[in-house]
Amino acid sequence: MPKVKDMMTTDIECCTPLDNIYEAAVKMRDYNVGAIPITDGNRLVGIVTDRDLVVRGIAEKKPGSTAVTEVMSEQLVTISPDASVTEAARLMAKHQIRRLPVVEGDALVGMMSLGDLAVHEMSDDQAGEALTQISQYH
């Protein structure tokens, strides 16, 4: 059975708590991603999604200079790199999320996305099931 560490993305672009929402949005555009982890050193402290920028930023008329910490999600669901891919898919479905930070202790070591699950043949069924579960609530 494949492990999260075998399928996760390790080349992750991050922001720090000192960055603003404009910088996070530019990174999302430039790297074609929908979420940017917020790290203090290697320690994961939050995540900003494209939805966070819209709902907590733009819809609240916050300027681009607003600190990412004002719009980021701090209550994160994470997974260990040694966990099974099945567990990752289950967590994504249960918590209605498409991206799962991979941590060792509190250090960010990777990201597991629904896309990562979908591109691996062994997990096609797991990705489909997770997407079905996530989509039912959105």
Side-chain angles (χ1 to χ4, degrees), residues 44-85:
L44 179 66
V45 295
I47 194 165
V48 172
T49 66
D50 43 11
R51 187 172 192 281
D52 292 332
L53 291 177
V54 171
V55 173
R56 297 181 190 154
I58 295 169
E60 297 294 325
K61 297 184 180 180
K62 293 190 176 171
S65 60
T66 302
V68 292
T69 54
E70 288 192 36
V71 300
M72 74 181 186
S73 298
E74 296 178 78
Q75 301 301 317
L76 303 177
V77 176
T78 62
I79 196 162
S80 161
D82 292 319
S84 71
V85 171

Side-chain angles (χ1 to χ4, degrees), residues 2 21 27 37 49 53 64 70-71 76-77 87 90 117 136-137:
I21 62 176
K27 282 188 177 187
T49 66
L53 291 177
E70 288 192 36
V71 300
L76 303 177
V77 176
E87 176 66 9
R90 188 190 68 73
L117 289 176
Q136 286 176 355
Y137 299 95

